[in-house]
Amino acid sequence: MAKNILIYESHFELMDNLTDAQSGMLIKAIGLFHKGIDPTQTQITDSVVLGIWMAIRRDFVIQQKNYEKKCEINRKNGENGGRPKTHSATVGYEETQPNPQNLKDKDKDKEKEAEANSLEAISYKAKQIQLQFDNTFKNIQYG
């Protein structure tokens, strides 16, 4: 059996309206169940607590089954030798390589290139507008 149990928020919602005596009875029932003793036979005498216990017990049984499945998987993995051994011939570098210092320079180069491209685009657009203006002006003068 697992060494811990999970009490969900939904369990506390069920317990909100219990009296202190009923809450104590439920907590003791949870403890007995965790020890492997069925609390419905001796501990729970209140029908309201019994109804809440039956709802909570279902989650505890599911938790226990999941724990046992996980233990079985781990047991099988252990029988197969556990975690795979690391290879003697490592792939890649055995040491961490230092970070390159020229990354900032590359970023600056990219920014300069982008700025140059945008200036070229602006210059090209300005030339196009100037040509349109000149052609329009010629048409007006000589038209």
Side-chain angles (χ1 to χ4, degrees):
M1 182 165 274
K3 294 184 180 185
N4 56 20
I5 55 174
L6 297 175
I7 299 178
Y8 299 114
E9 188 175 336
S10 61
H11 297 160
F12 286 110
E13 290 172 2
L14 293 171
M15 293 185 241
D16 277 345
N17 295 322
L18 295 179
T19 64
D20 289 346
Q22 290 171 325
S23 297
M25 189 182 302
L26 185 61
I27 293 297
K28 285 185 178 183
I30 290 171
L32 289 173
F33 178 78
H34 189 64
K35 291 179 182 178
I37 301 169
D38 183 13
T40 57
Q41 302 300 322
T42 58
Q43 187 66 30
I44 301 176
T45 57
D46 189 317
S47 60
V48 173
V49 175
L50 180 62
I52 292 173
W53 164 247
M54 298 307 278
I56 292 174
R57 181 181 169 271
R58 178 184 54 86
D59 289 338
F60 290 161
V61 169
I62 291 170
Q63 289 174 18
Q64 182 61 30
K65 286 180 182 178
N66 289 340
Y67 176 76
E68 289 170 1
K69 285 179 188 177
K70 185 176 180 180
C71 287
E72 183 62 30
I73 289 169
N74 289 342
R75 194 174 300 112
K76 286 180 182 178
N77 288 340
E79 289 172 0
N80 292 335
R83 180 174 177 243
K85 306 281 189 272
T86 57
H87 299 290
S88 59
T90 59
V91 177
Y93 298 109
E94 289 186 9
E95 295 179 4
T96 305
Q97 299 297 312
N99 288 334
Q101 299 299 320
N102 61 350
L103 291 179
K104 291 183 182 178
D105 295 338
K106 287 182 181 179
D107 288 341
K108 287 180 183 176
D109 291 343
K110 286 182 182 178
E111 289 174 7
K112 287 179 183 177
E113 185 178 320
E115 186 178 328
N117 288 341
S118 69
L119 289 175
E120 287 176 11
I122 292 171
S123 175
Y124 177 76
K125 188 69 174 174
K127 287 178 184 176
Q128 291 293 326
I129 292 171
Q130 184 64 41
L131 285 173
Q132 287 176 348
F133 179 76
D134 290 344
N135 288 337
T136 305
F137 189 68
K138 285 179 184 176
N139 290 336
I140 292 174
Q141 271 186 345
Y142 302 111

